[in-house]
Amino acid sequence: MDFNMKKLASDAGIFFTRAVQFTEEKFGQAEKTELDAHFENLLARADSTKNWTERILRQTEVLLQPNPSARVEEFLYEKLDRKVPSRVTNGELLAQYMAEAASELGPTTPYGKTLLMVSEAEKRLGAAERDFIHTASISFLTPLRNFLEGDWKTISKERRLLQNRRLDLDACKARLKKAKAAEAKASTVPDFQETRPRNYILSASASALWNDEVDKAEQELRVAQTEFDRQAEVTRLLLEGISSTHVNHLRCLHEFIKSQTTYYAQCYRHMLDLQKQLGRFPGTFVGTTEPASPPLSSTSPTTAAATMPLVPTVASLAPPGEAALCLEEVAPSASGTRKARVLYDYEAADSSELALLADELITVYSLPGMDPDWLIGERGNKKGKVPVTYLELLS
């Protein structure tokens, strides 16, 4: 108990000394040991890294989960070290509502059939979103969170310890300076009248006491300087490790972009497939820009145009009044051909299109007046239209 009380009194004394030194520095009444410029740059870079990592982390969480209540719930589950329950995405919920609506309104009607098709597409979109959120959380959010909750806490702890060591060092310097000033004063100005011999003894005794005080202050200064230098080196090594943190975050950023690219490519593919299905389904009007017209008679020769496919065929690209070219008769344009690598599998919607397999190489070229989203692709003796978004042009 006695030992604990002594330790408590010693800690209180150290805390008081540091508080006095800190206050005097703020008021400009005490000298402060300055760190070198390189060390200050390391501190500034570490602070900037921490601040921007926090902002990027928070905004990415908003991107993946816009609902603030859901984010708070997930945060509480993580703090309680419990598994976050599976949550239905907005796309999956919309798919459920559309399927229920089609069941109630009539799944055999054109509207009901269309609702079912869109429901399946929205369900696939929701599943792709769920996979994207899961992948982004593991490959991007988790490393950023680990840095803030692990490495940065260690750096902050060592920086606070360095600050305390610096305050102790500056307090020792101030104590030594005061002791030397008092020693010089005691050795030059006697404290008592020279007519009394006893006062010479007292003056010499005071000078000896101040000499002991100076020796003690110098010893404390050497110890404080050693501890400060050791702690400064430890903190410097941790701050230089921020470069490795940047490299790790760069790798995680690449993984995030890769997962985001995959997600949007899946969404585009699902919606393109849906659009093709709707274009082949009678009674749907996908992407039409024609104004509404009165009902046509069953004998009208224009009724066949109401269900034309959305994607233009090569024959439709021919100028008015000219005969439509057969696909096999189409020659490459004057600009020449290029090689392209197929990014994703593609199923041809009709005979005018060319089916594709991922990673295969084909020859492509364009025709005058052709839709810029499409090219003519050749593989051996097969030829057909191919979507540009499924290709990576090589040369």
Side-chain angles (χ1 to χ4, degrees):
M1 183 65 179
D2 186 31
F3 172 79
N4 292 335
M5 289 299 297
K6 288 182 179 179
K7 185 176 183 304
L8 181 61
S10 176
D11 292 343
I14 294 174
F15 176 79
F16 179 75
T17 302
R18 291 172 180 171
V20 171
Q21 177 67 26
F22 181 80
T23 304
E24 290 180 350
E25 288 176 359
K26 289 298 182 181
F27 285 97
Q29 299 176 357
E31 297 181 359
K32 177 181 178 181
T33 300
E34 298 293 341
L35 301 172
D36 59 84
H38 177 63
F39 201 98
E40 292 288 353
N41 290 335
L42 291 177
L43 290 174
R45 187 177 67 158
D47 290 334
S48 181
T49 300
K50 180 257 185 181
N51 293 334
W52 283 112
T53 301
E54 284 183 337
R55 294 182 182 182
I56 294 174
L57 175 65
R58 298 293 177 259
Q59 191 57 38
T60 307
E61 290 176 343
V62 172
L63 173 67
L64 299 180
Q65 179 51 264
N67 189 344
S69 301
R71 293 201 303 271
V72 171
E73 181 181 353
E74 293 175 359
F75 175 77
L76 293 177
Y77 274 104
E78 291 177 359
K79 289 303 180 182
L80 296 175
D81 198 17
R82 297 178 59 184
K83 183 179 179 181
V84 179
S86 179
R87 188 185 303 276
V88 178
T89 62
N90 294 328
E92 292 173 328
L93 188 59
L94 177 60
Q96 178 183 344
Y97 289 166
M98 286 185 172
E100 294 176 355
S103 176
E104 183 173 343
L105 299 177
T108 58
T109 63
Y111 183 43
K113 291 180 179 179
T114 304
L115 280 175
L116 289 177
M117 286 190 293
V118 178
S119 171
E120 288 298 323
E122 294 295 339
K123 186 176 180 180
R124 290 194 292 267
L125 290 177
E129 180 184 1
R130 182 191 302 276
D131 293 339
F132 168 59
I133 293 175
H134 177 72
T135 304
S137 298
I138 294 177
S139 62
F140 189 62
L141 292 184
T142 299
L144 298 186
R145 195 175 290 114
N146 289 341
F147 166 73
L148 294 174
E149 297 179 356
D151 296 346
W152 182 253
K153 286 187 176 180
T154 302
I155 293 175
S156 300
K157 178 182 176 182
E158 297 300 331
R159 287 179 64 176
R160 288 193 298 268
L161 191 56
L162 177 63
Q163 174 74 353
N164 292 335
R165 294 289 181 263
R166 187 196 63 76
L167 291 174
D168 294 341
L169 175 62
D170 290 337
C172 290
K173 289 180 179 179
R175 191 179 303 114
L176 177 61
K177 184 177 180 180
K178 292 178 181 179
K180 286 184 176 180
E183 179 190 25
K185 183 177 180 180
S187 61
T188 56
V189 181
D191 295 332
F192 303 97
Q193 299 178 2
E194 298 181 0
T195 55
R196 298 180 181 179
R198 178 173 174 272
N199 293 341
Y200 287 103
I201 300 175
L202 294 176
S203 178
S205 177
S207 179
L209 289 175
W210 282 115
N211 285 334
D212 294 341
E213 186 67 21
V214 169
D215 293 340
K216 181 180 178 182
E218 289 178 346
Q219 177 63 24
E220 292 178 351
L221 178 60
R222 285 192 292 269
V223 174
Q225 185 69 53
T226 302
E227 293 181 350
F228 173 77
D229 293 340
R230 184 186 300 113
Q231 185 59 36
E233 184 63 23
V234 171
T235 308
R236 184 192 302 273
L237 292 176
L238 290 175
L239 293 175
E240 290 176 347
I242 292 294
S243 298
S244 300
T245 300
H246 287 179
V247 174
N248 183 41
H249 288 182
L250 176 61
R251 180 184 60 81
C252 297
L253 183 59
H254 279 280
E255 292 293 331
F256 174 70
I257 295 303
K258 181 180 178 181
S259 62
Q260 197 171 31
T261 303
T262 302
Y263 167 62
Y264 286 118
Q266 290 175 345
C267 292
Y268 176 78
R269 186 163 62 251
H270 295 327
M271 296 310 296
L272 192 63
D273 293 341
L274 174 63
Q275 191 178 32
K276 291 179 180 179
Q277 293 177 12
L278 295 179
R280 293 193 298 265
F281 184 70
T284 57
F285 306 91
V286 183
T288 179
T289 58
E290 296 295 330
S293 59
L296 301 175
S297 64
S298 59
T299 59
S300 173
T302 59
T303 53
T307 58
M308 289 181 62
L310 290 179
V311 181
T313 62
V314 174
S316 66
L317 298 174
E322 295 185 8
L325 293 177
C326 181
L327 194 60
E328 285 73 12
E329 300 175 356
V330 174
S333 62
S335 60
T337 62
R338 301 179 65 180
K339 291 292 184 180
R341 185 175 69 89
V342 179
L343 299 177
Y344 317 105
D345 293 343
Y346 177 74
E347 181 180 355
D350 52 44
S351 59
S352 67
E353 297 182 1
L354 181 65
L356 303 175
L357 295 176
D359 296 328
E360 71 172 338
L361 294 177
I362 62 173
T363 302
V364 296
Y365 55 89
S366 63
L367 296 177
M370 189 173 181
D371 188 339
D373 292 335
W374 293 83
L375 293 172
I376 301 299
E378 291 185 359
R379 186 200 313 109
N381 58 353
K382 295 184 178 180
K383 183 184 301 184
K385 295 186 304 177
V386 292
V388 176
T389 53
Y390 280 68
L391 304 175
E392 177 185 2
L393 299 179
L394 301 178
S395 62

